[in-house]
Amino acid sequence: MRTKLVIVMLGLMVFAIVATALSSAHTLRISMTKQIDVQLNASWPTMAYGLNKAYVHSLNEDGTSSDFDPTLMGLNSSYADIRDADGTLVYVMPRSRVAPTNGSDQPLLDPQEIQKLAEHPLVPSTVPGSYRNSAGWRTMMVPLQSSNLNLFLALPLDHVNTTVRQTAVLVLSTGMLAALLMSMIAYGLTGRSLRPLINVERTASMIADGDLSQRVKDYPSETEVGRLSRSLNAMLAQIEKAFLDREASERKMRRFIQDASHELRTPLVTIQGYSEFYRYGGLADPEAMDSAMGRIEAESKRMARLVEDLLMLARLDEQRPMEKQSVDLLVLGQDAVEDTKVRAPDRTVKLVGLTTERPSPASTLGDDARIRQIIANLLTNALRYTPEGTPIEIAVGVRSLVAGAMDAVVEVRDHGPGIPPDDAKRIFERFYRADSSRQRETGGSGLGLAIVAAIVQQHGGSVALSDTPGGGATMSISMPYVPVVERPEPEIDDENSTGS
């Protein structure tokens, strides 16, 4: 880029120098030609008188002549002659330095040139010279009033051409030298100006080699390179984040596949084992057959629940649109309390408020069935991982946030052993269970809380885990609070109403 910029600049400078030289030469030629024309116009009356007198003396019978020297008038190297109306040469200035002798240059006044000059007397015109390399002559015709003769006065243009040529060469040589010097300076300055782009190029090369942590140096924001560096750094940050997210997603996917395979393999092995045992005749006893069928049915149901949970997470990951409606968490909490009393009659489950014993309505927009599933999963998790007889509270209410915003909140509080801090960080991950031995006594697959987190996220809310005062764990679900707008009942005009 630097070489191209300098070459383009040098080309423009050379073009400007050549154009300047040509225009200067043309202007100088016009100026010097006008000076010669001024000399011709100023000297022709005296020249006409002197040459006419010399011509008359040359015709005297005694042969005496009166020589006329034009150099006395400052007309060096001038040429003058007298011709008749037909253009025939009748007299030449005798002391002219360019008198018609062999080897001397003189203006070529052929009939065409003479005719042209005759049409515009006393008007200077340029005619060629007799030499091949002649610069030409500036001549004009002066009619002699005393006779039917014409005076042709001419000055050479050699000095004009020489001066114009020297001026053009001087302008070109000086300009080319200046252009060369400016190109060298421009090459250095351009390299210095493009140094940030070179740094960007080097950084891009390192990034192309796989080092996504590289960043372009920050430059002033008012420059193009500064704006480019900021855009590149922002783009690189997004790309690096995308790569890290992809790697994390791939790790989660591999772990998900491993966990799903492990979870599905156990019931499948159980079903396959009892099937092979039956095929080899090991279940001839009706009681053994009933026991085997019961185990196969239980494992099939557990596998079906696992598949349903996986399908639920897959649908949630697709972010399918939901049919949202106004949902009161207080109503859902009350229903969950009644259902839990039926499922676990030995447990004490009650509905309370967030800060008081009395719950308050907390409405939001969402999918009624999925929010019910959230509360059911949290209650199942609390029942499963707490000792028998441990009380559970469902707290419902509205919590104020900053800037006047409010959240509808439902909490499931247990008073069990709680969750260790290391497990609390990963409790909402898929297939994660605090029971790392994966024994089946609890019957959990590690997907219940992951489904809760996915559904809450789809509703624009958040889920959090905290310690219950006095011991235990509290699962808190927060969703945007949307108050229910009560529509006023239409007024009935008793006078216009009719009864049946």
Side-chain angles (χ1 to χ4, degrees):
M1 182 182 296
R2 176 172 60 175
T3 303
K4 290 182 178 179
L5 288 175
V6 174
I7 290 177
V8 171
M9 185 184 67
L10 179 60
L12 293 175
M13 291 179 63
V14 169
F15 176 79
I17 292 170
V18 172
T20 302
L22 293 177
S23 61
S24 300
H26 181 69
T27 304
L28 181 61
R29 181 182 296 276
I30 294 175
S31 176
M32 294 186 71
T33 302
K34 288 184 177 180
Q35 291 180 4
I36 293 178
D37 293 344
V38 170
Q39 290 181 350
L40 290 174
N41 286 310
S43 61
W44 74 261
T46 306
M47 291 286 293
Y49 173 78
L51 284 179
N52 188 36
K53 183 178 179 181
Y55 170 65
V56 173
H57 278 285
S58 66
L59 298 179
N60 291 338
E61 295 180 358
D62 55 1
T64 61
S65 62
S66 175
D67 295 336
F68 177 72
D69 189 0
T71 59
L72 298 176
M73 300 179 61
L75 297 178
N76 298 326
S77 301
S78 61
Y79 173 85
D81 64 27
I82 297 176
R83 300 174 183 254
D84 58 14
D86 297 332
T88 303
L89 183 63
V90 297
Y91 181 77
V92 178
M93 182 174 60
R95 293 189 178 183
S96 175
R97 295 188 180 184
V98 291
T101 59
N102 294 332
S104 299
D105 184 28
Q106 60 180 346
L108 292 178
L109 298 175
D110 55 14
Q112 290 80 9
E113 294 294 340
I114 294 175
Q115 180 65 30
K116 185 187 301 184
L117 292 171
E119 293 176 358
H120 304 282
L122 300 179
V123 176
S125 178
T126 301
V127 297
S130 59
Y131 271 8
R132 183 176 182 180
N133 297 326
S134 175
W137 292 77
R138 193 69 172 170
T139 184
M140 73 176 184
M141 186 190 74
V142 180
L144 297 177
Q145 301 295 334
S146 59
S147 61
N148 192 19
L149 299 175
N150 296 317
L151 168 65
F152 290 90
L153 181 62
L155 291 176
L157 297 177
D158 293 332
H159 177 66
V160 175
N161 279 15
T162 301
T163 304
V164 170
R165 188 182 304 109
Q166 291 176 351
T167 302
V169 171
L170 180 62
V171 172
L172 285 174
S173 59
T174 305
M176 292 301 176
L177 183 60
L180 180 61
L181 180 61
M182 291 298 104
S183 299
M184 296 173 62
I185 297 175
Y187 190 81
L189 294 178
T190 305
R192 185 176 180 180
S193 300
L194 296 179
R195 191 175 302 166
L197 291 180
I198 297 175
N199 295 333
V200 172
E201 179 187 2
R202 293 173 180 172
T203 305
S205 299
M206 290 186 286
I207 294 172
D209 293 336
D211 188 2
L212 296 179
S213 63
Q214 292 292 330
R215 292 294 182 271
V216 180
K217 181 181 177 181
D218 289 333
Y219 294 97
S221 58
E222 63 272 9
T223 62
E224 293 82 356
V225 179
R227 292 190 289 270
L228 175 62
S229 63
R230 288 206 315 274
S231 300
L232 285 178
N233 287 334
M235 180 186 68
L236 291 174
Q238 294 179 359
I239 292 175
E240 185 179 14
K241 183 178 182 300
F243 272 93
L244 294 177
D245 292 343
R246 188 186 70 175
E247 292 177 358
S249 177
E250 290 177 353
R251 288 195 300 269
K252 291 182 179 179
M253 180 60 66
R254 286 193 295 267
R255 182 179 175 186
F256 178 81
I257 294 174
Q258 293 172 359
D259 292 339
S261 301
H262 182 86
E263 295 290 337
L264 291 173
R265 183 170 60 246
T266 301
L268 287 175
V269 169
T270 302
I271 294 172
Q272 182 181 6
Y274 279 106
S275 300
E276 292 180 354
F277 192 47
Y278 171 76
R279 183 163 57 85
Y280 287 113
L283 298 177
D285 186 3
E287 293 183 0
M289 176 67 74
D290 293 340
S291 177
M293 290 298 102
R295 291 294 305 277
I296 291 176
E297 181 181 7
E299 294 297 330
S300 299
K301 289 181 179 179
R302 192 162 66 86
M303 188 167 59
R305 288 195 300 270
L306 178 60
V307 172
E308 288 177 359
D309 289 342
L310 291 174
L311 292 176
M312 169 66 73
L313 286 172
R315 286 193 292 268
L316 292 174
D317 289 340
E318 292 178 358
Q319 297 292 327
R320 296 181 180 179
M322 300 181 302
E323 294 182 1
K324 293 185 177 182
Q325 58 183 354
S326 180
V327 178
D328 192 349
L329 299 183
L330 179 60
V331 176
L332 271 60
Q334 183 63 46
D335 293 344
V337 169
E338 300 298 329
D339 295 341
T340 307
K341 289 180 179 179
V342 176
R343 292 172 53 193
D346 61 325
R347 295 293 186 103
T348 300
V349 183
K350 61 179 180 179
L351 186 66
V352 297
L354 292 178
T355 57
T356 62
E357 289 293 326
R358 183 179 181 83
S360 60
S363 57
T364 185
L365 287 179
D367 190 313
D368 182 87
R370 291 187 178 180
I371 298 178
R372 288 180 184 271
Q373 184 179 3
I374 291 175
I375 301 176
N377 285 3
L378 295 179
L379 283 171
T380 300
N381 190 74
L383 293 172
R384 180 175 295 156
Y385 295 103
T386 55
E388 295 182 2
T390 303
I392 299 175
E393 293 95 20
I394 299 178
V396 179
V398 178
R399 180 175 298 159
S400 299
L401 304 175
V402 295
M406 303 179 72
D407 273 351
V409 181
V410 57
E411 294 181 349
V412 177
R413 305 168 180 171
D414 66 57
H415 298 273
I419 301 175
D422 293 339
D423 295 329
K425 297 177 181 179
R426 303 178 57 188
I427 198 69
F428 296 103
E429 294 182 7
R430 301 179 183 185
F431 286 113
Y432 181 79
R433 296 190 303 171
D435 182 12
S436 59
S437 63
R438 294 184 179 275
Q439 295 179 357
R440 297 295 184 265
E441 286 79 0
T442 60
S445 62
L447 292 178
L449 294 182
I451 292 176
V452 169
I455 294 177
V456 172
Q457 183 180 8
Q458 194 175 24
H459 282 77
S462 61
V463 57
L465 171 64
S466 60
D467 294 332
T468 304
T474 298
M475 299 287 182
S476 179
I477 304 298
S478 302
M479 297 182 184
Y481 173 68
V482 181
V484 179
V485 179
E486 297 182 358
R487 297 181 180 178
E489 297 183 357
E491 297 181 358
I492 300 178
D493 190 354
D494 295 335
E495 296 179 357
N496 297 331
S497 62
T498 57
S500 57

